[in-house]
Amino acid sequence: MSKIFLSNNELMSLSNDDRTKYYNSLRRLSLASENFKNKRSSAGRKLVTSLNPLMKDYEFEPIGIDNIPKNTPVLFVSNHSNSHNILDAVEFCSKFIGEVSVMVASDDLTLPTRVLFDSCNAVLFDRRDKIESSQSIFEMANKIICKGMNGWIFSEATWNLHPVRLIQDLKIGAILIAAITGCPIIPTVLEYVEVDDPVSCEKELYEKCIVKFCYPYFVSRDRSLVEQIQELQRIMESARARVTKSKLFIDDVNPLVYLNHVFFKKYGFAFNYDSAAEAKFLFSKDGLPVDNEYRLNENGILVPGITLKSEGKKFVKIK
């Protein structure tokens, strides 16, 4: 095979024997990667577990934790909506499940944040670098196979700030890792229940964080990876629809509340979210830009688009 990763069409055109050889070759590459960092992460996890609760004003509400198998490492695949997600995944797993390695994009992080996540045994990679992105697949597989660690991936690749869309289209990496390792995927929803009114600081945004775990999803090497990631997305959309109180239709969204909340998500907690830069990482099936954020047009109607920080400040103190 002339390249490491085959496209879905190339993969499905192989005979069963050749497809098995392909996946086995990827598994060998994962096992042979001796340079991956597999240091113990107790210090980093203890720091996150002790400090993270001080930086927020909401509690976890677990649902379906019994769906997680106890005799095998798993790969959690969840939605991605704000800057709390990674810290919350580390804290939640440390308290209720055990050690987890989270796949984290490093290209938008400060040096102290990278050091913190690295100390938690995260898989750090630059989304702009195809080699690093490919290597992150092998690194996560290595941790699952060789160290028996659980993995956690945010397959939307960036925050979903859409006012009504439940899940942005998922990227295929998680399905590929599960096919390489044979571990089950746990479809997971992090639902941050937002208050109904505008807020004056980020800490006022959320009432609680529902952490919902669905039944294990087992990837088949004989089926299309695209079909399986779409299947996984439908499971996660259905799960989020059952726990969210978000609006389902754009006409039901209060524009001022939405814009106020998005402003504090983007600029209110230890991280400035660059909407234009992040838009490149959303998965597009047809190559066209993906709607991920809405702005107010001249008629006071929400339409697809980005609200800059300077523009968004006018929504900060609305009560």
Side-chain angles (χ1 to χ4, degrees):
M1 298 174 184
S2 58
K3 56 184 178 180
I4 297 178
F5 295 124
L6 300 180
S7 70
N8 189 67
N9 288 337
E10 290 171 329
L11 184 56
M12 295 313 296
S13 69
L14 298 178
S15 67
N16 290 338
D17 285 345
D18 283 342
R19 197 178 304 122
T20 298
K21 290 177 182 177
Y22 167 73
Y23 282 121
N24 288 342
S25 71
L26 297 183
R27 187 179 178 92
R28 285 193 297 273
L29 287 172
S30 301
L31 295 173
S33 301
E34 299 295 338
N35 60 328
F36 292 144
K37 296 177 181 178
N38 282 307
K39 56 183 176 295
R40 303 315 300 164
S41 55
S42 57
R45 287 188 293 122
K46 285 180 180 178
L47 182 62
V48 170
T49 304
S50 59
L51 292 183
N52 193 45
L54 304 177
M55 298 187 288
K56 60 188 183 182
D57 198 22
Y58 57 84
E59 300 293 334
F60 296 122
E61 181 183 312
I63 299 176
I65 200 166
D66 290 340
N67 291 330
I68 304 170
K70 295 179 174 60
N71 58 350
T72 181
V74 301
L75 182 62
F76 298 100
V77 178
S78 78
N79 59 313
H80 200 12
S81 59
N82 61 67
S83 56
H84 292 280
N85 292 160
I86 297 169
L87 293 171
D88 282 350
V90 173
E91 181 195 350
F92 185 92
C93 288
S94 296
K95 287 181 175 179
F96 299 103
I97 299 170
E99 189 171 7
V100 68
S101 177
V102 183
M103 187 173 282
V104 180
S106 61
D107 47 85
D108 56 358
L109 299 179
T110 62
L111 178 59
T113 309
R114 288 199 299 272
V115 171
L116 175 62
F117 291 148
D118 188 52
S119 71
C120 293
N121 220 337
V123 174
L124 296 170
F125 72 103
D126 188 330
R127 291 171 295 179
R128 301 164 300 182
D129 189 318
K130 290 184 178 180
I131 295 177
E132 278 198 25
S133 297
S134 298
Q135 196 75 347
S136 69
I137 299 290
F138 296 126
E139 183 172 354
M140 181 61 80
N142 181 280
K143 290 177 185 293
I144 292 170
I145 299 169
C146 298
K147 300 299 177 181
M149 292 180 63
N150 298 313
W152 192 301
I153 292 183
F154 300 96
S155 287
E156 289 171 296
T158 187
W159 302 354
N160 176 12
L161 296 174
H162 199 284
V164 296
R165 187 168 186 181
L166 294 170
I167 304 284
Q168 290 288 5
D169 288 335
L170 304 182
K171 292 192 172 182
I172 209 167
I175 298 291
L176 184 56
I177 291 171
I180 293 171
T181 63
C183 78
I185 286 175
I186 304 297
T188 304
V189 171
L190 294 176
E191 179 60 23
Y192 291 79
V193 180
E194 299 179 20
V195 299
D196 294 324
D197 301 309
V199 298
S200 56
C201 67
E202 198 272 346
K203 210 168 184 180
E204 299 175 352
L205 258 179
Y206 306 113
E207 296 176 352
K208 59 183 175 181
C209 175
I210 299 172
V211 187
K212 180 176 177 59
F213 301 104
C214 303
Y215 293 116
Y217 181 90
F218 293 90
V219 169
S220 170
R221 289 183 168 188
D222 297 326
R223 292 181 55 204
S224 161
L225 299 183
V226 171
E227 289 179 1
Q228 292 181 89
I229 195 66
Q230 292 172 348
E231 200 168 76
L232 184 65
Q233 179 165 334
R234 289 192 293 271
I235 292 170
M236 292 171 62
E237 287 171 338
S238 178
R240 189 176 177 213
R242 289 195 293 271
V243 298
T244 187
K245 70 172 190 177
S246 300
K247 308 300 183 185
L248 298 179
F249 302 99
I250 194 67
D251 291 342
D252 297 327
V253 176
N254 183 319
L256 299 184
V257 173
Y258 168 76
L259 292 167
N260 171 272
H261 287 197
V262 167
F263 178 87
F264 282 107
K265 289 177 188 177
K266 289 167 62 173
Y267 308 115
F269 179 75
F271 178 82
N272 281 344
Y273 184 86
D274 187 336
S275 299
E278 292 292 322
K280 302 192 294 282
F281 302 115
L282 288 161
F283 177 65
S284 173
K285 295 177 180 177
D286 51 15
L288 298 176
V290 178
D291 291 343
N292 189 46
E293 189 177 336
Y294 274 50
R295 63 176 181 82
L296 213 59
N297 70 4
E298 60 275 7
N299 298 316
I301 298 172
L302 284 175
V303 296
I306 294 169
T307 302
L308 300 177
K309 186 175 184 178
S310 57
E311 300 168 336
K313 287 181 178 178
K314 63 185 175 183
F315 302 110
V316 169
K317 295 185 179 180
I318 296 174
K319 284 288 187 183

